[in-house]
Amino acid sequence: MSIAVEDQTAATDSERLARAYLLGVAEPPAPHLLEFVGEHGPVAAAERVRAGDCPEPVLRETAARRESTIAEQDLEEAAKSGARLVVPEDHEWPAWPLLSLAVAAGNGVKHVAAPLGLWVRGDASLAEVADRAVAVVGARLATDYGVHNAIEFGHALATRQIPVFSGAALGIDAAAHRGALNGGGVTVALLGCAVDYAYPAGNRDLLDRIVAEGGALVSEYAPKTPPARHRFLVRNRLIAGLTDGTVVVEAGIRSGARNTATIAGALGKVVMALPGSVHSGSSAGCHALIRDCKATLVTSVDEVLETVGRFGTAAPAAESSRRPTDNLGPEASRVYDALLPRAGRAPEEVAESAGVPVSRVRALLPALEVDGFAVRGETGWRQIVRTANR
Amino acid sequence: MSIAVEDQTAATDSERLARAYLLGVAEPPAPHLLEFVGEHGPVAAAERVRAGDCPEPVLRETAARRESTIAEQDLEEAAKSGARLVVPEDHEWPAWPLLSLAVAAGNGVKHVAAPLGLWVRGDASLAEVADRAVAVVGARLATDYGVHNAIEFGHALATRQIPVFSGAALGIDAAAHRGALNGGGVTVALLGCAVDYAYPAGNRDLLDRIVAEGGALVSEYAPKTPPARHRFLVRNRLIAGLTDGTVVVEAGIRSGARNTATIAGALGKVVMALPGSVHSGSSAGCHALIRDCKATLVTSVDEVLETVGRFGTAAPAAESSRRPTDNLGPEASRVYDALLPRAGRAPEEVAESAGVPVSRVRALLPALEVDGFAVRGETGWRQIVRTANR
């Protein structure tokens, strides 16, 4: 599967340059700068920020880097690593999914301001991959059980043409990306560092493979920006915001994956978690999400798709293997139970044992015979043992 | 821990004999017979049923056995095995918890009519063990994981003085009983056969141990009645009805334990389930309960107690601010709740409202007064409102 960029550009060069500058000057999320850009447009806003001609809150967000940021250099560096800057003025800007961030911010949710632009390395069109996507996330310290499930869920989503978003961390995230790639799918990694900063080093090959196989690395951070703890937390809002739902595969009680799930919930997205052993600390975060935060328990990708609900797929309805006797009414069921497979019983005996009036027993036995549950022999009525259909 | 019978009798011999007959003639649940007994009292009802002088629906429920049932014989057989018949006229009848069955039946829930009496083998007083109890149930085909957890939960409830109710089946049920016994607790087995019918044979020692160690075997079925599939289903309403909440430890998608959980939910009781591996068919029923039926996911007995909520215990993580009334015992707490802040109530009114015997109410009210929870005025006892410490 490959979702290639068809019409990459729409923004003007000056708009893109201005956005590169604005992304560089403020550490995201930068709600006041975002509002300022919304009022004045990126080009004018960038000029005024550079000149220090802006309201106090915007000045505070931009003061540290407004003189040192060189947007041209960032764009050149990006080009060297095959990356590009996607901005809201572009056709491929994922405006629809990111609207959830603006709505939540408007409703008073903290630290969820939309990004001013996104650095992207890889051919995937952001708008198309984010049109229907699921985030699969979890802890770095994962068990075999968690890694196995992350691979399985990534793979199963890929085979159903659902792009898999994750955070490229060691452990569950990496396994989810790998599963998607092995399933021939598109996978997108949201990073807490620049898209040209190979982190974590142990996942360098994975990051290259994501790009090579039609996916993308996505970040708010200018080329060469190193990772930082707060950047991973800030990045989490993009994983939650760009997808329809977040699946937490395995997470300890303090895992950052719970943070992503919490944000997803605050954005009105679907939050799901896999159960595990009650003795596993690595599942404790998942259990807490299900127990205390109304996350939906999921055990399969069919259940994920049913929960997310947008994809026209439904889980095969609990696959409960029905027994033939399930369709019997309560009295018929008791009469059936009162029969023996190898010895005949008289209706009076059946009535006594089943606690059903003998007149009803006399009426029910022939009906049971017609349906193949009972047979009349010389010594009386016998049970025909019926096993489950499957 | 031992909860012994203090005042076993209150019913007259003729009432008990009549109830023994009524229990024997109809296969439970027998809603029409129950209503008939409610209208006419057990003695007159039994006479009229034996004579066939009752409305058509009652006749249908009783026709099969009304001439063959010999109550004297049932009572003699019971006495031989050390069992007794407990009836609603007895002090130890668990009227309060069983009220849930009548309420649900009144609301149109099918097949949940209250029992006409209960055969009991063991010294435990039914009213006392059912005053605060948790059901721990699950499938016969259990994994090591499930058995381990059932033992652990049974044990932990026992050490917190919570009686453990279950169904004495192989697998999870037996493990829950064993865990409770090993924890020095009282455990009660609700049976789908008579209390003198050692079933399942593999649990014969366990059944004897339950009786020997202060617990009880309980059943609606007359002595010598064999087990039957529908009887286990009918029995499930008693497990659900006699307890404050039901914990499903492990259950396949078709396990009868799900049935118990569903009934518990219909009765307004708390339904809980343990998670397990997404690959374990033996946990699939638990996961379905959590996912589709709003059962609460629990991973420890602390979480069970927090969920059930009546026992003045909170899981350590929950940091719930304590109320002064949290230290009251369950009966004292109910008496406190039955008082009004601005109008006096007589002990009889309080007993009625709290579902606590008036003799206990008379003993508890002065104790509540000493502790500053109640005050006696000219018009009766009033509540002193106590707010949270923090």
Side-chain angles (χ1 to χ4, degrees):
Chain A
M1 178 167 80
S2 165
I3 301 176
V5 179
E6 281 171 21
D7 186 359
Q8 186 181 322
T9 54
T12 61
D13 286 352
S14 58
E15 281 167 340
R16 195 175 318 281
L17 190 66
R19 292 261 179 197
Y21 171 79
L22 293 163
L23 257 179
V25 291
E27 188 75 19
H32 300 294
L33 179 58
L34 185 73
E35 194 184 338
F36 189 66
V37 173
E39 281 170 25
H40 301 282
V43 177
E47 275 168 22
R48 291 183 56 178
V49 168
R50 190 176 284 119
D53 173 24
C54 47
E56 180 59 29
V58 179
L59 263 186
R60 269 203 307 277
E61 285 176 355
T62 56
R65 296 191 216 134
R66 70 183 174 83
E67 289 172 4
S68 61
T69 296
I70 306 171
E72 292 84 351
Q73 197 173 304
D74 286 343
L75 286 166
E76 275 167 35
E77 281 293 342
K80 273 189 219 166
S81 70
R84 65 189 187 279
L85 177 64
V86 178
V87 298
E89 291 77 14
D90 288 326
H91 285 323
E92 72 159 309
W93 183 253
W96 180 252
L98 289 180
L99 189 59
S100 59
L101 292 170
V103 169
N107 289 337
V109 179
K110 295 282 179 207
H111 310 305
V112 292
L116 285 154
L118 290 166
W119 298 95
V120 179
R121 192 180 143 218
D123 287 340
S125 151
L126 275 193
E128 290 192 26
V129 288
D131 178 52
R132 48 172 205 163
V134 169
V136 179
V137 300
R140 281 167 296 173
L141 281 171
T143 67
D144 289 349
Y145 172 75
V147 168
H148 174 93
N149 287 332
I151 292 174
E152 202 171 273
F153 273 59
H155 189 279
L157 286 164
T159 59
R160 287 164 177 79
Q161 273 75 51
I162 311 291
V164 173
F165 281 47
S166 195
L170 299 172
I172 298 298
D173 285 10
H177 288 303
R178 275 187 223 285
L181 291 169
N182 294 346
V186 165
T187 187
V188 175
L190 279 296
L191 306 180
C193 60
V195 295
D196 64 351
Y197 198 103
Y199 180 89
N203 282 349
R204 182 190 293 260
D205 289 349
L206 173 64
L207 295 170
D208 288 340
R209 198 179 153 203
I210 289 172
V211 172
E213 301 187 15
L217 312 182
V218 178
S219 167
E220 287 178 278
Y221 302 103
K224 307 298 177 204
T225 307
R229 200 172 65 92
H230 74 271
R231 293 193 174 123
F232 293 112
L233 291 171
V234 166
R235 173 276 319 262
N236 288 346
R237 82 192 196 289
L238 300 180
I239 298 180
L242 286 167
T243 53
D244 289 285
T246 293
V247 179
V248 183
V249 173
E250 196 176 61
I253 212 78
R254 294 198 54 95
S255 164
R258 282 185 72 190
N259 173 259
T260 306
T262 306
I263 296 173
L267 298 181
K269 310 275 182 159
V270 179
V271 184
M272 296 156 279
L274 272 71
S277 166
V278 299
H279 309 291
S280 170
S282 297
S283 285
C286 291
H287 295 153
L289 283 169
I290 295 165
R291 182 174 153 73
D292 303 323
C293 307
K294 310 286 174 227
T296 300
L297 182 152
V298 291
T299 63
S300 70
V301 161
D302 281 334
E303 290 177 357
V304 169
L305 298 186
E306 189 189 300
T307 307
V308 173
R310 257 186 66 199
F311 306 142
T313 323
E319 287 207 23
S320 62
S321 57
R322 307 255 317 148
R323 290 192 204 127
T325 47
D326 286 351
N327 294 323
L328 297 178
E331 279 192 334
S333 177
R334 272 151 58 182
V335 169
Y336 176 79
D337 284 344
L339 296 171
L340 307 172
R342 286 160 202 230
R345 293 192 115 175
E348 292 74 17
E349 286 177 278
V350 173
E352 168 85 22
S353 168
V356 173
V358 70
S359 58
R360 290 287 298 146
V361 171
R362 284 187 203 284
L364 285 163
L365 283 171
L368 286 169
E369 186 172 36
V370 168
D371 292 335
F373 291 102
V375 62
R376 190 204 308 246
E378 288 184 3
T379 59
W381 289 87
R382 284 187 292 109
Q383 186 187 62
I384 294 178
V385 178
R386 295 280 298 265
T387 50
N389 288 326
R390 51 178 175 138
Chain B
M1 178 167 81
S2 168
I3 301 177
V5 179
E6 280 173 21
D7 186 359
Q8 186 181 319
T9 53
T12 63
D13 286 351
S14 55
E15 282 167 340
R16 196 176 315 283
L17 190 67
R19 292 262 179 196
Y21 171 78
L22 294 163
L23 257 180
V25 291
E27 188 74 20
H32 299 295
L33 179 58
L34 185 73
E35 194 184 336
F36 189 67
V37 173
E39 281 169 25
H40 302 282
V43 177
E47 275 166 21
R48 291 184 54 181
V49 167
R50 190 176 285 116
D53 172 25
C54 47
E56 179 57 29
V58 179
L59 264 186
R60 267 204 309 279
E61 284 176 355
T62 55
R65 299 191 212 134
R66 68 184 176 82
E67 288 171 4
S68 61
T69 297
I70 306 172
E72 291 84 351
Q73 199 173 302
D74 286 343
L75 287 166
E76 274 167 35
E77 281 292 342
K80 273 189 217 164
S81 68
R84 65 188 187 279
L85 177 63
V86 178
V87 297
E89 291 77 14
D90 287 326
H91 284 325
E92 70 160 308
W93 183 252
W96 180 253
L98 289 179
L99 190 59
S100 60
L101 292 169
V103 169
N107 289 336
V109 179
K110 295 281 178 207
H111 311 305
V112 292
L116 284 154
L118 290 167
W119 298 96
V120 178
R121 191 180 143 219
D123 288 339
S125 152
L126 276 193
E128 289 193 26
V129 287
D131 178 52
R132 49 170 205 165
V134 169
V136 179
V137 300
R140 281 167 297 174
L141 281 171
T143 67
D144 289 348
Y145 172 75
V147 168
H148 174 92
N149 287 333
I151 291 174
E152 203 171 273
F153 273 58
H155 189 279
L157 285 164
T159 59
R160 286 163 177 78
Q161 273 75 52
I162 311 291
V164 174
F165 282 48
S166 194
L170 299 173
I172 297 298
D173 285 10
H177 288 303
R178 275 187 223 285
L181 292 169
N182 294 346
V186 165
T187 186
V188 175
L190 279 296
L191 307 180
C193 60
V195 294
D196 63 351
Y197 197 102
Y199 180 89
N203 282 349
R204 183 189 293 260
D205 289 349
L206 173 64
L207 295 170
D208 288 340
R209 200 180 152 201
I210 289 172
V211 172
E213 300 189 14
L217 312 183
V218 177
S219 167
E220 286 177 280
Y221 301 103
K224 306 295 177 206
T225 307
R229 196 171 64 95
H230 73 270
R231 290 189 178 128
F232 293 112
L233 291 171
V234 166
R235 173 276 318 260
N236 289 345
R237 82 192 197 289
L238 300 180
I239 299 180
L242 285 168
T243 52
D244 290 284
T246 294
V247 179
V248 183
V249 173
E250 196 176 60
I253 211 80
R254 294 228 17 132
S255 166
R258 280 185 73 190
N259 172 261
T260 307
T262 305
I263 297 173
L267 298 181
K269 310 275 183 159
V270 179
V271 184
M272 296 156 280
L274 271 70
S277 167
V278 299
H279 309 292
S280 170
S282 296
S283 286
C286 291
H287 294 155
L289 283 169
I290 296 165
R291 181 174 151 72
D292 303 324
C293 307
K294 310 284 172 227
T296 300
L297 183 153
V298 291
T299 63
S300 69
V301 162
D302 280 334
E303 290 178 358
V304 169
L305 298 186
E306 188 191 304
T307 307
V308 173
R310 252 187 70 197
F311 306 143
T313 320
E319 287 192 33
S320 63
S321 57
R322 300 221 5 112
R323 291 189 209 126
T325 47
D326 285 351
N327 293 325
L328 297 178
E331 279 192 334
S333 179
R334 274 151 55 187
V335 168
Y336 175 79
D337 287 342
L339 295 171
L340 306 172
R342 286 158 202 233
R345 293 193 113 177
E348 290 77 12
E349 286 177 278
V350 174
E352 168 87 20
S353 168
V356 173
V358 69
S359 58
R360 292 285 299 145
V361 170
R362 283 186 204 285
L364 285 163
L365 283 170
L368 286 169
E369 185 171 35
V370 167
D371 292 332
F373 291 102
V375 63
R376 192 203 306 244
E378 287 186 8
T379 59
W381 289 86
R382 283 188 293 109
Q383 187 187 61
I384 295 178
V385 178
R386 296 281 298 265
T387 50
N389 289 326
R390 52 174 178 135

